[in-house]
Every structure is written in C-alpha cells, then in structure tokens.
Amino acid sequence: MSRTRVASLAVAVAAASVPLLLAGCGIQETDPIEAGGPATVEAFYNRADDMMLFFRTPDGGLNPVLRTVRPSAGFGSDYVRSDPGTTPGPPSTEKTVLALLAGPREVDRAAGLTTALPPVRPGTTVTVRTTPGGTVTTGLPFPLKALNTTARRQLTCTIAYSQAADGKAVVKLTGQDGASSSDTCGLAP
C-alpha cells in the first residue's frame, strides 16, 4: 500500500469514529433552549448629577442614555471641588432637552442609537414651565406636526424623567407651528 493511500485510510477511519466517540460520552441530544432577551446593564440614575436622554434603537424603540453633567466628588487625589457657579440639584429641564436635541454622541451612535428629532441650530432655546397641576409644558424650536411618534416619545420621556425620578409627569409639547400634544412616558428604564 502506498503512503498516500494509508494516510487517506487513516483520515477516513478517524472521521468515521468521531460520531461513535461522541455517542459514547453520554451527551444527550437536545433541542435549543430559549434563554430570554438580550443582556441588560443596570445603571444608577443620580438626578443631582445626571441627565436621562432617550434615543432611538435600531428596532425603533427607545433606549435611555445617562449623561453626567457634574463631576462626582471623589476622595484623595480624585477629589473634585464643586464649581461655585453650579446650582445644587438636578440639571434643568431646558438643559436636558437641549442635550437631547444635540443628538447622540459618537459612543451612542457606535451602539446603534440615533434620533428621530430634527437637527437644531446652535443657540437654540426651549421654554419649560410647570403648571400647578403638575403638567410640564415645553415650547419647542421647530414645528410639532412634522414630528413622528418616535420623536415625540423621545421628547416626552426625556422631559418626564428630568421632572420626576419615576418619569410619571404629564408632558405637553408645543411647537413653533402652534400645534400641541400631551402625553406621559410610559417607559420604565
């Protein structure tokens, strides 16, 4: 027998014995088992130092993104003194909405997050006022009628969580076109 033929025979015997070896090790064949949804990460929302912005996911849903607005006070060489020009308490709703309108950052886009909101010019302002009944009315720098449902939900959830830790605020949006709508967030990030 030639060397090539012996090598081919050895490969064939080895390939034929693999299923026998696997069958003899006691591993039973099973159907696929569903393990649930994608992994999640729990983040802690510190309203005194963070803004919670909502951006669009690739599947059209919303995903919260935390943005830290003040450095945390560490210890030792990491200690950071608070800036005397900053006011204690959570960031203003106006500042939070403007951060949302600035769009997702590079790291957010790398994670697949986008926005359904129109781009705004630098120097854009928004107005926010709260009525005695607790409704948060926000004046937007663009027409409201042009916004789709996702864009309205981005605004509503971002505003609701800037006003209340549980996000259960009634939000009224008013556009430059005079159109308005009221809604609640309905998401629990």
Side-chain angles (χ1 to χ4, degrees):
M1 224 183 247
S2 74
R3 231 179 221 183
T4 307
R5 204 165 201 195
V6 170
S8 298
L9 185 59
V11 169
V13 169
S17 62
V18 168
L20 294 174
L21 291 173
L22 290 177
C25 72
I27 298 174
Q28 300 289 323
E29 183 178 324
T30 62
D31 290 330
I33 299 172
E34 210 165 304
T40 59
V41 175
E42 188 170 336
F44 297 99
Y45 176 39
N46 177 355
R47 290 190 68 233
D49 297 324
D50 298 331
M51 294 185 283
M52 187 179 301
L53 312 176
F54 287 80
F55 290 111
R56 181 176 53 195
T57 60
D59 66 355
L62 293 184
N63 193 68
V65 172
L66 295 180
R67 295 259 174 92
T68 301
V69 293
R70 291 189 227 343
S72 64
F75 295 100
S77 64
D78 294 334
Y79 180 74
V80 177
R81 240 179 256 230
S82 63
D83 181 4
T86 60
T87 15
S92 70
T93 301
E94 291 88 346
K95 184 175 182 174
T96 303
V97 172
L98 289 173
L100 175 69
L101 295 177
R105 291 181 176 166
E106 187 175 327
V107 68
D108 304 324
R109 288 189 303 273
L113 300 177
T114 59
T115 186
L117 294 163
V120 293
R121 287 182 232 128
T124 297
T125 60
V126 295
T127 58
V128 177
R129 59 185 164 72
T130 305
T131 62
T135 299
V136 183
T137 302
T138 305
L140 302 172
F142 41 74
L144 186 64
K145 287 182 183 178
L147 298 182
N148 65 23
T149 303
T150 303
R152 289 177 191 223
R153 288 184 63 219
Q154 280 184 259
L155 286 162
T156 300
C157 289
T158 297
I159 294 165
Y161 274 93
S162 78
Q163 289 286 311
D166 62 2
K168 293 185 180 181
V170 175
V171 176
K172 180 178 180 182
L173 302 173
T174 304
Q176 279 183 335
D177 55 357
S180 66
S181 69
S182 292
D183 206 353
T184 57
C185 178
L187 294 178

